[in-house]
Amino acid sequence: MTKAHAIIVAGGQGRRAGGEQPKQYQVLAGRPVLAWSASTFQAHPAIDQLVIVVPAGNERDVSALAGDGARIVAGGATRTASVMAGLSALEGEAQDIVLIHDAARPGLASDTIDQLLDALGGADAAAPALPVADALKRDRDGRLETVDRAALYRVQT
């Protein structure tokens, strides 16, 4: 039977966000950023397993904020290596669905998970995407020209 699992990659340094600690551990509305996504996955009825990938040595600290039921594993030197560590930690079958989420993105909604699972019913891969709303410009020989954004989307990680 096909199951759905989630991996949250939480190994980034979050330097652009500023602060004394990486963005995924900073507090947002009373909770660490990482805790928002972890609780969304844990509350979703279709998610069988949750794996959170963190820098080596942070497993114990993250375990306390992730709540019960999440498996915390050490990641690698790159995002790709960390995703592989998360996949290796899953106990599943080859046909199972795996959702991969960036811990620094706390706005994950349950309906986004539903939409992704629906999309994966007929595709090998899917990602949330939003139409580009900002004006886009391209440099043409030192002059800026407007780029048609009608067919452009921002893919979320």
Side-chain angles (χ1 to χ4, degrees), residues 50-62:
L50 172 61
V51 173
I52 301 174
V53 185
V54 301
N58 289 11
E59 297 93 341
R60 178 176 278 169
D61 296 336
V62 173

Side-chain angles (χ1 to χ4, degrees), residues 70-96:
R71 176 180 284 167
I72 313 300
V73 299
T78 65
R79 181 181 174 91
T80 300
S82 292
V83 169
M84 290 302 297
L87 289 169
S88 295
L90 288 174
E91 296 172 3
E93 303 296 327
Q95 74 274 7
D96 287 355

Side-chain angles (χ1 to χ4, degrees), residues 22-130:
K23 180 179 176 182
Q24 63 268 29
Y25 305 126
Q26 292 182 22
V27 175
L28 174 68
R31 298 169 63 193
V33 168
L34 171 60
W36 288 102
S37 298
S39 65
T40 300
F41 278 123
Q42 289 170 317
H44 197 283
I47 301 300
D48 189 61
Q49 295 179 79
L50 172 61
V51 173
I52 301 174
V53 185
V54 301
N58 289 11
E59 297 93 341
R60 178 176 278 169
D61 296 336
V62 173
S63 183
L65 70 91
D68 294 336
R71 176 180 284 167
I72 313 300
V73 299
T78 65
R79 181 181 174 91
T80 300
S82 292
V83 169
M84 290 302 297
L87 289 169
S88 295
L90 288 174
E91 296 172 3
E93 303 296 327
Q95 74 274 7
D96 287 355
I97 293 170
V98 179
L99 303 179
I100 300 172
H101 182 71
D102 183 345
R105 311 242 182 258
L108 178 64
S110 184
D111 66 328
T112 301
I113 296 171
D114 292 336
Q115 291 169 9
L116 285 168
L117 293 174
D118 287 345
L120 289 168
D124 292 334
L130 301 170

